[in-house]
Amino acid sequence: MSEKSMLPSRFLFCLITISMFLLILSSLFLLQFSNTSFIPNSVFKLILVNSTSVYLKSSGKNEQTKLPFVTSVASPVDSKGPMGREGSWQTSNASKKMDALGQGRRKGCDPNQAHLRAFMYDLPPEFHFGLLGWTGKANQTWPNVSNPGRIPSYPGGLNLQHSIEYWLTLDLLSSDTPNIVRPCSAIRVKNSSQADIIFVPFFSSLSYNRHSRLHGKEKVSVNKMLQDKLVNFLMGQDEWKQLGGKNHLIVAHHPNSMLDARKKLGSAMFVLADFGRYPVEIANIDKDVIAPYKHVLRSNPVADSATFEGRPILVYFQGAIYRKDGGAIRQELYYLLRDEKDVHFTFGSVRGNGINGASEGMASSKFCLNIAGDTPSSNRLFDAIVSHCVPVIISDEIELPFEDVLDYSEFCIFVRASDAVKNGFLLNLLRGIKREKWTKMWERLKEIAHHFEYQYPSQAGDAVDMIWGAVSRKISSIQNKLHRKNRYRRSQILLKRN
């Protein structure tokens, strides 16, 4: 065969060889990313798209499934079991990291992705920010909350401890403010039919603190007048009539707030400090939410928190000693403990240098007493938590915030009142807690302290975020009861029609 006749054969051979090589490469590439991949399928199970976790069903179809009921960012605590240490109001570390990456570009929350949708009445300013002295333009109901540095400020001192309605209202207002970055745990919707809860923006604690006394020629206090107007307003709303108020959320954190209206509005869900001054048919743990006081003392930075050896005071208490009702135990404990060398038990108030002195005292103490006063609770517990001073709770009737997701026994000591007043009982108990046990509780305090911080804008896992979580869980419980009651109601209606 001539050399010229062999050229086409060689060219064809080379072409076939190259084609086979490319075919093998492409087959290997397709194999790598097919369902028969050597890479475990679990690697591709979780796909993060635009800072959102999306699960793909194993059928091979890219069908999106909603994630469990969680907040947008998990709180930085270790988990225990599938629900997490703090319960279901959490998400995965992967989702948390991706959400943090998307914080800077987030432009408000998508109503369809929010975990709690709240409709808020546009009450006149006299019920909320007007009580702070804010006056807007004509027909302006709400202040501009886009600049955190320019929002109306809340009065300081002890007024702050019951300011919960202020923080929740600000949070809902900011939920549709584009440049405010916050968790998507709760958002405000403009149509009540889309809402899980109807929020009533009445600053009831501030109204009581500032306007419950008569002034000048007044025959009715401003506080009572506002309550009467609120009752008349709510009773006339279709949203109230629909379920008799069961889908409404009213904040009445001060024990004496809403005194004139609470009985008429008792079907609503309340946000309270405790149940000390409420009859059980008006407020109870089945329908209402317990919220933490806003602490008055400054938060102790984790890096500056003194260890066991750096806290020379064994037991610390500073506050009102002579109280009525269940608070009489304070006086008994005062006489038992006042002369002990490593105990600080004195009268104190927020006046003068009281707050700074208490901050230093708690930060230098191993244990801080939280004793029942006129009511079962006080902000002293939350001052102790943010000071990383192990709380000793002596209040048999106390209700604690978020106790369905927080185990307080991990960072608090509980003592029955009848035991606390026994001579030597309390000090023997506390002195028996050695460094290792105390340090474990101290470490846990540092982990959970952020759950009791109120701030604007709100942050994942802070007090505002936790309250919305508690409201959501309560709604689920209430809806379950309503659905159970409806089991036979519809069939009975049909029978009557027939």
Side-chain angles (χ1 to χ4, degrees):
M1 185 179 291
S2 66
E3 187 172 328
K4 286 184 178 181
S5 63
M6 292 178 64
L7 286 175
S9 299
R10 289 178 179 176
F11 176 78
L12 185 61
F13 176 79
C14 291
L15 185 62
I16 293 173
T17 303
I18 293 171
S19 299
M20 291 182 65
F21 179 74
L22 291 174
L23 180 63
I24 292 170
L25 278 179
S26 61
S27 299
L28 289 173
F29 182 82
L30 290 173
L31 184 61
Q32 180 73 12
F33 291 97
S34 69
N35 285 336
T36 56
S37 171
F38 295 111
I39 299 175
N41 192 47
S42 59
V43 173
F44 304 103
K45 187 85 171 180
L46 179 62
I47 308 224
L48 300 176
V49 182
N50 296 329
S51 303
T52 306
S53 296
V54 178
Y55 281 96
L56 302 182
K57 290 186 177 180
S58 57
S59 62
K61 297 180 181 179
N62 291 353
E63 184 177 349
Q64 186 169 329
T65 306
K66 283 189 176 181
L67 284 172
F69 191 77
V70 292
T71 52
S72 55
V73 183
S75 50
V77 288
D78 48 22
S79 9
K80 247 186 202 177
M83 291 292 287
R85 194 168 197 168
E86 310 304 320
S88 62
W89 200 248
Q90 291 187 0
T91 187
S92 67
N93 286 332
S95 183
K96 178 175 71 173
K97 290 175 183 177
M98 291 303 295
D99 189 79
L101 290 173
Q103 292 266 334
R105 62 178 178 270
R106 185 185 296 158
K107 301 296 182 182
C109 296
D110 180 356
N112 297 318
Q113 297 298 321
H115 306 303
L116 183 68
R117 295 178 297 273
F119 174 79
M120 181 163 64
Y121 288 122
D122 285 319
L123 292 176
E126 64 176 334
F127 286 95
H128 41 83
F129 289 97
L131 292 169
L132 298 172
W134 175 79
T135 53
K137 298 177 182 178
N139 300 320
Q140 184 180 354
T141 302
W142 304 106
N144 185 343
V145 298
S146 60
N147 185 348
R150 301 185 65 180
I151 59 173
S153 59
Y154 201 89
L158 289 179
N159 289 288
L160 272 173
Q161 63 182 336
H162 297 296
S163 57
I164 286 70
E165 61 254 10
Y166 170 77
W167 303 104
L168 294 180
T169 303
L170 279 176
D171 194 56
L172 286 182
L173 288 174
S174 70
S175 69
D176 53 7
T177 303
N179 62 327
I180 296 295
V181 177
R182 57 180 288 280
C184 270
S185 47
I187 68 157
R188 182 188 182 193
V189 294
K190 300 300 177 67
N191 189 332
S192 62
S193 65
Q194 300 173 342
D196 303 306
I197 196 77
I198 310 295
F199 184 76
V200 181
F202 175 39
F203 291 3
S204 61
S205 295
L206 184 63
S207 179
Y208 172 78
N209 277 332
R210 291 296 182 89
H211 302 288
S212 57
R213 295 180 181 179
L214 295 175
H215 297 283
K217 296 181 180 180
E218 291 178 348
K219 294 184 178 180
V220 177
S221 70
V222 172
N223 180 47
K224 186 179 187 310
M225 179 268 294
L226 288 175
Q227 290 180 66
D228 292 342
K229 289 174 71 172
L230 181 66
V231 170
N232 290 334
F233 170 81
L234 291 176
M235 295 301 175
Q237 301 305 303
D238 291 336
E239 289 84 0
W240 183 275
K241 295 174 184 177
Q242 185 180 14
L243 291 174
K246 289 183 174 68
N247 58 343
H248 282 56
L249 183 67
I250 299 174
V251 185
H253 200 261
H254 191 290
N256 293 329
S257 61
M258 299 293 288
L259 272 174
D260 299 291
R262 60 177 60 166
K263 187 174 182 180
K264 296 175 182 177
L265 304 179
S267 58
M269 183 189 302
F270 288 126
V271 177
L272 306 171
D274 56 48
F275 301 125
R277 294 181 183 173
Y278 283 81
V280 69
E281 64 271 14
I282 300 298
N284 55 74
I285 198 64
D286 290 331
K287 78 173 183 70
D288 301 310
V289 171
I290 298 298
Y293 291 66
K294 186 184 187 313
H295 59 85
V296 177
L297 304 189
R298 62 179 179 269
S299 298
N300 194 8
V302 172
D304 298 336
S305 187
T307 60
F308 187 83
E309 289 78 10
R311 295 174 180 257
I313 302 171
L314 177 68
V315 180
Y316 185 91
F317 178 90
Q318 185 165 300
I321 294 174
Y322 302 100
R323 309 303 289 176
K324 56 187 177 182
D325 301 327
I329 188 175
R330 290 189 184 182
Q331 186 175 342
E332 294 184 60
L333 286 172
Y334 170 68
Y335 290 120
L336 278 174
L337 303 176
R338 63 179 178 176
D339 296 326
E340 297 290 336
K341 62 178 181 178
D342 51 356
V343 173
H344 177 95
F345 200 124
T346 63
F347 174 82
S349 70
V350 297
R351 296 177 181 176
N353 198 42
I355 291 179
N356 289 334
S359 293
E360 294 174 4
M362 283 193 169
S364 302
S365 302
K366 296 179 178 70
F367 300 98
C368 290
L369 299 182
N370 181 72
I371 314 169
D374 294 341
T375 58
S377 65
S378 76
N379 72 328
R380 194 169 286 102
L381 168 62
F382 309 102
D383 285 336
I385 288 173
V386 299
S387 301
H388 309 148
C389 176
V390 175
V392 180
I393 298 176
I394 307 173
S395 180
D396 296 347
E397 304 300 322
I398 196 170
E399 295 290 347
L400 298 167
F402 325 131
E403 198 168 11
D404 56 337
V405 295
L406 281 178
D407 184 355
Y408 279 76
S409 68
E410 294 179 341
F411 52 89
C412 294
I413 303 292
F414 290 84
V415 181
R416 291 186 177 86
S418 57
D419 290 329
V421 295
K422 294 177 182 177
N423 191 21
F425 181 91
L426 187 60
L427 289 184
N428 288 337
L429 172 67
L430 299 181
R431 284 175 178 152
I433 298 175
K434 302 306 179 185
R435 184 185 191 282
E436 183 179 357
K437 172 64 175 174
W438 182 91
T439 300
K440 186 176 181 180
M441 302 181 83
W442 172 70
E443 293 287 0
R444 186 66 179 134
L445 277 172
K446 292 187 291 181
E447 290 176 345
I448 56 86
H450 69 288
H451 293 318
F452 304 95
E453 296 286 357
Y454 290 94
Q455 56 206 326
Y456 180 77
S458 64
Q459 296 181 17
D462 70 3
V464 170
D465 197 33
M466 293 289 283
I467 290 171
W468 291 133
V471 169
S472 179
R473 294 190 295 274
K474 200 68 69 173
I475 289 173
S476 297
S477 174
I478 292 172
Q479 286 178 338
N480 180 58
K481 291 179 181 178
L482 287 172
H483 293 167
R484 290 176 68 87
K485 286 182 179 179
N486 286 339
R487 284 179 176 181
Y488 303 104
R489 186 177 65 86
R490 294 182 188 277
S491 57
Q492 289 171 351
I493 291 172
L494 290 173
L495 285 173
K496 289 180 180 179
R497 287 178 180 175
N498 295 333

